[in-house]
Amino acid sequence: MPATHLDKRTTSRTTWTHASIPTLAVILSLAAPAFRAGADEIKPLRLCADPTNLPFSSDNASMPGFYLELGQALGKALGRPVAYNWYKSYFGKRTVRVTLLGKQCDAMIGLPLSEDFMGPAVIFSKPLITEAYVLVSAKDGKVSSIDDLKGKRVAVQFLSTPQNLLAQLDEIEKVTVLSPEEGMKVLDQGKADVAFIWGPVAGWLNKTEYGDRYAIQSTEGLGLSWISAVGFAKTSIELRDQVDAALPSLETTIAGLIAKYGFPTDRPVKFNAAPTATKHAFLPASQALPIVLAQLTTVAAATPEAVSAGREVFNGTCAHCHGPDAVQSERRIDLRLLNRRYGDDMRETYWKTVHEGRPSKGMPAWNEVFTDEQLDNVYAYLLTLQTPSN
Ligand code: HEC
């Protein structure tokens, strides 16, 4: 799988080039006195983290960032003190290889939940939150679709999905920036009308530096949003299971942290395809990795090809009742809610429903009409559209 997509997108905050800075390997134990007595037995939960990546992580104890505060809460839930291995540049495969897979830490919070990330070498917890690109604009000129962007100057980050997405739309003037900070700055200086940048950072900056002056509209679609989780080396199944067991008790904590760090929580608009061009124009293979797919483990071949084949089947057949691109205002048949509705059982429910139908309720059976592969493709496509549960 090409690495480019994720690497590019994650440069929204720390840049890939930072990965060449050697690990600082500072282990800071936050062991509370209570842990000292049994220090021989209780090993700290070691988290790899970037010391300068707010709103996600920071070595500033008074403002540690979303991921680190969540890590502290996790440590508490597991009865283990938390230690940090600071490593500049949080994301990127090289970082993960050196730190997590190099056994310098036990877990990394906030990795993209996708098999495409590192293949089977990395395993994941259940989903934490959905993160996405957002459209930031003045409150009285809020934009919520690609059409709204026409005639506007839009700040996009170099080599990001939004840059790619808007590249072919001549009616939109692009202002290229190198970071979300710069995107907010050109917006604030009146050099752009809209900033199409990484949401958590935009929300955080809007809250802390811009007095919540700007309206934020979240987006979703291939390469625009992804689900983050805790990542572990594949040998850490036991720890992963412990974390999964602890996560449900941390829902309130997570909601509190989302508010504290200003992460956007609005309902996203879907940006899979612009009105004026075919979807493929915006999604060259390297950009179309289905990063967004939750529960990827159950889909053998969730490739961009599978997603796009599934979309074709869907819009050709299922869309008559479930809406084109699954946009459907009647909740009962809104298939973007499958994940929210069924969670871990989503796959099974889908499979049973499409195979057997629910004839008494108006849902036909499709097993005679489509092959399992086609139904799998539709599933892969639907996964890219799921409404986040936060
Ligand atoms: C003729 C209309 C119609 C078509 C065409 C149709 N469905 Fe449905 N589908 C329904 C209805 C109505 C329901 C809700 C049944 C119920 O209330 O339990 C449903 C429910 C579902 C559900 C379960 C939703 C849930 O939340 O429980 C899935 C999954 C589903 N459809 C998938 C598909 C797929 C995939 C296709 C295309 C291959 C498709 N449907 C085509 C009418 C349709």
Side-chain angles (χ1 to χ4, degrees):
M1 279 293 174
T4 46
H5 173 64
L6 182 69
D7 296 341
K8 280 172 193 168
R9 201 156 40 74
T10 54
T11 56
S12 58
R13 191 74 179 114
T14 45
T15 55
W16 205 190
T17 50
H18 284 152
S20 56
I21 297 172
T23 174
L24 302 174
V26 181
I27 307 279
L28 248 192
S29 176
L30 287 193
F35 287 115
R36 295 230 172 94
D40 289 346
E41 291 85 43
I42 304 174
K43 290 216 187 100
L45 175 66
R46 298 170 309 151
L47 300 177
C48 283
D50 185 329
T52 57
N53 195 26
L54 278 175
F56 302 111
S57 60
S58 152
D59 58 2
N60 173 357
S62 66
M63 189 55 80
F66 184 97
Y67 293 159
L68 292 204
E69 288 205 43
L70 181 56
Q72 288 163 11
L74 263 178
K76 213 168 178 182
L78 300 182
R80 290 169 67 172
V82 174
Y84 301 107
N85 180 356
W86 300 114
Y87 196 91
K88 199 79 175 121
S89 179
Y90 193 40
F91 292 113
K93 298 181 185 204
R94 184 174 181 276
T95 305
V96 175
R97 209 170 290 126
V98 171
T99 58
L100 187 65
L101 302 184
K103 304 248 185 288
Q104 294 184 28
C105 53
D106 306 310
M108 282 175 95
I109 299 180
L111 293 185
L113 179 55
S114 163
E115 270 190 349
D116 290 321
F117 183 52
M118 298 284 293
V122 174
I123 57 174
F124 298 98
S125 70
K126 295 207 170 92
L128 296 177
I129 56 170
T130 299
E131 301 178 20
Y133 282 98
V134 295
L135 299 161
V136 190
S137 58
K139 281 193 171 145
D140 57 4
K142 187 171 176 187
V143 286
S144 42
S145 70
I146 285 201
D147 277 340
D148 288 351
L149 295 177
K150 289 188 179 151
K152 297 226 159 71
R153 297 164 303 162
V154 181
V156 288
Q157 192 176 338
F158 184 56
L159 291 181
S160 67
T161 303
Q163 185 189 40
N164 205 48
L165 187 71
L166 302 186
Q168 340 239 340
L169 298 178
D170 295 334
E171 320 89 298
I172 298 173
E173 189 186 326
K174 274 73 71 181
V175 180
T176 305
V177 295
L178 294 175
S179 65
E181 285 83 356
E182 197 189 341
M184 288 298 285
K185 199 176 278 168
V186 296
L187 179 68
D188 203 54
Q189 292 168 341
K191 294 176 187 162
D193 307 306
V194 180
F196 196 173
I197 54 179
W198 196 235
V201 184
W204 161 253
L205 291 174
N206 193 30
K207 182 178 161 124
T208 55
E209 284 181 33
Y210 296 97
D212 271 324
R213 270 206 290 294
Y214 293 104
I216 290 185
Q217 171 63 61
S218 293
T219 69
E220 68 183 351
L222 282 182
L224 288 175
S225 55
W226 55 311
I227 291 171
S228 68
V230 187
F232 310 85
K234 69 164 186 261
T235 47
S236 305
I237 293 172
E238 197 185 332
L239 178 60
R240 192 270 308 270
D241 291 348
Q242 288 168 355
V243 165
D244 273 351
L247 277 177
S249 69
L250 297 178
E251 264 175 31
T252 322
T253 307
I254 291 174
L257 291 173
I258 285 173
K260 175 174 177 181
Y261 288 97
F263 287 16
T265 54
D266 60 313
R267 200 181 162 78
V269 290
K270 200 157 71 67
F271 260 37
N272 267 1
T276 51
T278 67
K279 56 191 188 265
H280 299 296
F282 297 103
L283 300 169
S286 66
Q287 285 282 310
L289 295 183
I291 292 296
V292 201
L293 307 193
Q295 305 172 342
L296 244 187
T297 42
T298 57
V299 182
T303 58
E305 289 75 17
V307 170
S308 109
R311 180 181 166 161
E312 215 158 297
V313 170
F314 187 91
N315 280 338
T317 303
C318 321
H320 295 303
C321 300
H322 293 286
D325 285 343
V327 175
Q328 169 60 259
S329 54
E330 199 184 330
R331 287 181 70 85
R332 187 174 67 97
I333 49 170
D334 184 345
L335 298 184
R336 296 169 300 182
L337 300 175
L338 286 176
N339 189 30
R340 206 185 251 192
R341 199 167 280 149
Y342 298 113
D344 287 345
D345 297 323
M346 171 177 170
R347 166 80 185 170
E348 211 176 291
T349 309
Y350 169 84
W351 205 242
K352 186 167 166 24
T353 309
V354 294
H355 270 233
E356 299 169 13
R358 294 182 194 158
S360 65
K361 304 227 169 102
M363 164 68 180
W366 298 102
N367 56 334
E368 312 265 19
V369 182
F370 295 114
T371 63
D372 278 359
E373 195 192 346
Q374 286 173 309
L375 293 172
D376 247 330
N377 292 343
V378 172
Y379 185 72
Y381 169 60
L382 288 173
L383 281 178
T384 66
L385 306 176
Q386 292 307 300
T387 305
S389 39
N390 290 308

